Amino acid sequence: KGKVVVITGASSGIGAATTRRLAQAGAKLVIGARRKDRLEDLVTALAPAEVIYQVTDVTDKKQVQSLVNLAVEKFGRVDVLFNNAGLMPLSELNELKVNEWEQMIDVNIKGVLYGIAAVLPIMEKQGSGHVITTDSVAGHVIHPGTAVYSGTKWAIQAIMDGLRQEQAGKIRTTMISPGAVNTELYRTITNEKKRQQIKNDEQTSGLAAEDVANAVAYAIDQPNNVGINEILLRPITQQR
Ligand code: NJP
């Protein structure tokens, strides 16, 4: 209660559900994403909770820094950064969708690094903080078509564990690694057949975004000496 939390990718899915979950628990939230209308609607729906938004593209490090700075200006500190923005334009490597590989690297890896760069000096000065990043079961398991997406989520494992070790005793780290979740993540898949298949799987058997939000809240709610370094959660029907 009362923690200051910055969330990227808050305009839909897991980020929006986590915003709702934490606002209900009394957190002070600063949320960002590119779709202004979605952010505005969310803030309106949650009034009078302390939630503010700023349009943010995580591929621009200045915009990420500005989102984090907003939290310090309005609420005086940053207790939690939830690096959640992500894209999943799945395709097999021989489809040569190089632009989509680059987008995934820019959002899923560089966006997370920009978030860490923005909060690290603040959290070091505070002597405390918590960085949470949405990883994936795909950061552990590869399928044909997930090579690059999995690669970005694998990278997050390395970055987050490095952060944990370097900041031991000061900053807590958590990776949230879901299997299929019923969100809008399928929308960036450009192969029509694959998009429909993933959309169907997520809608018929995926976790709800709220299930993942509960995992985030659990990690945040632990006493300060307890680091929940990863939560891996799948719908019980998902095998790999
Ligand atoms: O999907 P979706 P999820 N700058 O599409 C934002 C991971 N995950 O909630 O900018 C800033 O509803 C986008 O906002 P907008 C996944 O890899 C999911 O499922 O307005 N924000 C939106 O708010 C990702 O890391 C599943 O378009 C940017 C959000 O990202 C995280 O969960 C399984 C942005 C995406 O929300 C949230 O995705 C899994 C940018 N440049 C991991 N680009 C799953 N759904 O099955 C995108 O293992 N966003």
Side-chain angles (χ1 to χ4, degrees):
K1 194 171 159 61
K3 283 195 174 169
V4 178
V5 183
V6 178
I7 303 183
T8 67
S11 57
S12 61
I14 294 166
T18 304
T19 302
R20 288 191 290 270
R21 173 74 177 72
L22 298 180
Q24 279 153 14
K28 296 172 183 173
L29 290 137
V30 177
I31 61 173
R34 292 166 305 174
R35 286 171 295 174
K36 183 174 193 281
D37 53 335
R38 295 285 194 103
L39 295 171
E40 212 163 58
D41 289 351
L42 187 56
V43 168
T44 306
L46 291 172
E50 291 190 273
V51 186
I52 54 176
Y53 77 88
Q54 182 159 295
V55 173
T56 307
D57 184 333
V58 298
T59 65
D60 179 340
K61 61 178 172 243
K62 287 205 191 93
Q63 292 187 33
V64 177
Q65 183 72 59
S66 167
L67 184 74
V68 167
N69 290 351
L70 182 63
V72 178
E73 279 159 32
K74 294 281 177 186
F75 301 122
R77 52 189 292 115
V78 182
D79 296 305
V80 181
L81 168 67
F82 183 23
N83 283 309
N84 168 70
L87 296 178
M88 189 185 69
L90 300 178
S91 63
E92 297 204 3
L93 293 168
N94 68 2
E95 294 175 57
L96 299 182
K97 295 190 172 171
V98 179
N99 288 342
E100 296 181 4
W101 304 348
E102 286 173 344
Q103 280 170 20
M104 280 188 276
I105 289 166
D106 286 347
V107 176
N108 301 1
I109 303 179
K110 289 169 76 176
V112 169
L113 285 170
Y114 295 157
I116 291 171
V119 295
L120 249 185
I122 296 167
M123 290 182 176
E124 282 192 311
K125 204 162 138 203
Q126 292 173 173
S128 70
H130 190 171
V131 176
I132 306 176
T133 298
T134 311
D135 199 282
S136 179
V137 164
H140 298 266
V141 178
I142 302 168
H143 298 282
T146 74
V148 179
Y149 179 69
S150 287
T152 63
K153 296 300 187 179
W154 227 280
I156 293 311
Q157 303 267 339
I159 293 162
M160 290 294 285
D161 204 54
L163 179 65
R164 179 186 69 77
Q165 294 184 37
E166 290 174 13
Q167 293 294 327
K170 284 179 281 183
I171 298 176
R172 297 194 290 169
T173 67
T174 305
M175 288 177 284
I176 302 290
S177 302
V181 189
N182 184 6
T183 67
E184 300 171 26
L185 193 66
Y186 58 81
R187 69 198 149 107
T188 55
I189 302 173
T190 46
N191 176 320
E192 173 69 27
K193 207 170 138 215
K194 188 91 187 156
R195 181 169 67 246
Q196 279 307 329
Q197 184 206 325
I198 298 282
K199 182 178 177 184
N200 270 346
D201 288 353
E202 287 186 352
Q203 289 183 342
T204 53
S205 58
L207 298 169
E210 287 72 20
D211 299 325
V212 184
N214 283 337
V216 178
Y218 173 79
I220 293 174
D221 285 347
Q222 297 307 305
N224 280 340
N225 65 320
V226 180
I228 302 293
N229 302 127
E230 182 166 16
I231 297 178
L232 197 148
L233 64 165
R234 291 182 175 88
I236 56 168
T237 48
Q238 183 174 342
Q239 290 178 317
R240 298 198 64 226

